Amino acid sequence: MAMKENKLDENVDGTYYVDDECIGCRLCVSSAPENFKMRDDDNTAYVFKQPENENEKHACESALDECPVEAIGNDG
């Protein structure tokens, strides 16, 4: 389970975030490309934009559910 106190600095403020357990598998980037990006070093992902509509929210929830290491959090 993702922990808010371990979230990556690159995450924008808001409900969704990625913490330091991320292994860089890119599933979240594939599931929700409007909201997740890979860091410049390509080792981990982060939330660069919080969802702005129901489609993006659904995509973020799918990413959260699919994350193999539970590194995505939702504080909403």
Side-chain angles (χ1 to χ4, degrees):
M1 184 167 144
M3 298 180 66
K4 188 175 185 176
E5 57 271 7
N6 295 335
K7 70 180 183 177
L8 300 172
D9 292 337
E10 290 85 355
N11 291 292
V12 295
D13 289 336
T15 304
Y16 293 92
Y17 62 91
V18 178
D19 76 3
D20 61 5
E21 293 297 313
C22 179
I23 59 171
C25 71
R26 295 184 173 79
L27 280 174
C28 59
V29 175
S30 295
S31 295
E34 299 298 319
N35 306 96
F36 291 86
K37 278 186 181 180
M38 295 301 293
R39 289 169 72 181
D40 289 340
D41 63 10
D42 251 4
N43 288 329
T44 54
Y46 65 97
V47 176
F48 75 94
K49 182 180 78 116
Q50 294 293 327
E52 296 177 345
N53 57 52
E54 286 303 312
N55 287 340
E56 288 182 7
K57 185 176 178 182
H58 179 72
C60 287
E61 283 298 315
S62 292
L64 187 151
D65 291 339
E66 295 169 357
C67 182
V69 294
E70 299 181 347
I72 300 171
N74 175 352
D75 285 343

